[in-house]
Amino acid sequence: AQTVTQSQPEMSVQEAETVTLSCTYDTSESNYYLFWYKQPPSRQMILVIRQEAYKQQNATENRFSVNFQKAAKSFSLKISDSQLGDTAMYFCAFMIKAAGNKLTFGGGTRVLVKP
Amino acid sequence: NAGVTQTPKFRVLKTGQSMTLLCAQDMNHEYMYWYRQDPGMGLRLIHYSVGEGTTAKGEVPDGYNVSRLKKQNFLLGLESAAPSQTSVYFCASSYYWDSPDPNTEAFFGQGTRLTVV
């Protein structure tokens, strides 16, 4: 079975500081995408960053970057220079080609950015 | 370009009632999905579709049925609602994996909050 585990239910960080969210996953497939989605109080699901499994280089998007460790099946998200607008639920997910492009999600990490 | 639109946004049902949630996408995506979101459990896949006229079961399909008669629409039905189906429901869509668009991702609707009393 394909599973995604986020071991940190909640995290808090001071504005302008850095926070790292953990994610591990389990699959026997080799061809997949990994994602971090943000869900603010508005409930909308917003893509933060994506990583293709066959790419060695870690993805970055402005203040967001990932540490992708394929052998360890780990995909952590680092938020640098945290802003109040980063307060949200963050979900790690992966999409497997062999599984009909289904997105499998972790349980989420609630991030609170404090002024 | 509206993206993915869900109807309705909120609904309260009595136990035993039926209803249909509508999802419409205007991006010509082949794949469409229905998820439910419950506190502490992330999003769990109910049913999905890999193309017009096709559907398949996800992780938590019991108590739900779906149909995809048109490529742009994916309907989720509850035949006899139960309090355990109180949740937030999300529809999503994505391209077929081998499409030339390198920016593979799933696009989500705004969610439907359903309460069954």
Side-chain angles (χ1 to χ4, degrees):
Chain A
Q2 330 285 358
T3 59
V4 180
T5 302
Q6 294 180 246
S7 59
Q8 305 149 315
E10 291 189 9
M11 298 191 76
S12 63
V13 60
Q14 292 295 132
E15 196 174 6
E17 294 188 345
T18 296
V19 62
T20 300
L21 282 58
S22 301
C23 172
T24 59
Y25 60 94
D26 186 23
T27 179
S28 57
E29 300 291 333
S30 59
N31 193 4
Y32 53 89
Y33 279 90
L34 291 158
F35 305 88
W36 279 98
Y37 276 87
K38 170 185 178 181
Q39 187 182 44
S42 67
R43 206 166 67 195
Q44 183 65 43
M45 295 290 287
I46 302 166
L47 179 67
V48 174
I49 198 164
R50 76 168 66 79
Q51 173 81 42
E52 297 166 85
Y54 66 86
K55 286 190 175 179
Q56 299 280 359
Q57 187 173 5
N58 289 326
T60 62
E61 285 288 341
N62 300 315
R63 297 181 295 106
F64 299 89
S65 62
V66 297
N67 183 3
F68 174 45
Q69 302 290 326
K70 190 171 185 178
K73 296 181 181 176
S74 171
F75 184 60
S76 61
L77 174 70
K78 184 169 78 172
I79 307 174
S80 303
D81 187 24
S82 297
Q83 300 177 359
L84 296 179
D86 295 334
T87 292
M89 282 290 290
Y90 288 81
F91 293 99
C92 178
F94 70 127
M95 179 186 284
I96 298 176
K97 177 179 181 180
N101 274 27
K102 291 181 293 183
L103 263 180
T104 301
F105 285 86
T109 297
R110 185 176 302 279
V111 173
L112 174 63
V113 181
K114 298 179 178 179
Chain B
N1 190 339
V4 179
T5 303
Q6 291 182 230
T7 309
K9 292 183 176 58
F10 302 93
R11 186 72 185 269
V12 178
L13 284 180
K14 293 182 179 179
T15 298
Q17 287 185 321
S18 64
M19 77 162 294
T20 300
L21 280 67
L22 171 64
C23 177
Q25 53 95 5
D26 61 3
M27 295 172 282
N28 202 35
H29 285 167
E30 290 81 8
Y31 289 81
M32 296 187 75
Y33 317 87
W34 276 107
Y35 290 88
R36 60 177 288 171
Q37 182 180 17
D38 302 294
M41 302 186 76
L43 278 76
R44 293 181 293 169
L45 183 65
I46 305 171
H47 287 279
Y48 66 103
S49 168
V50 301
E52 181 178 322
T54 71
T55 63
K57 294 180 179 180
E59 184 184 355
V60 289
D62 293 343
Y64 305 95
N65 57 77
V66 288
S67 64
R68 190 156 178 213
L69 300 179
K70 294 183 179 180
K71 186 177 183 179
Q72 64 267 32
N73 295 336
F74 194 30
L75 279 63
L76 177 71
L78 286 73
E79 291 187 349
S80 179
S84 61
Q85 294 177 305
T86 293
S87 188
V88 178
Y89 292 85
F90 284 94
C91 176
S93 69
S94 71
Y95 285 113
Y96 177 62
W97 182 279
D98 285 336
S99 67
D101 188 335
N103 297 314
T104 297
E105 68 176 279
F107 294 83
F108 285 82
Q110 74 274 38
T112 297
R113 180 174 295 279
L114 174 65
T115 302
V116 183
V117 298

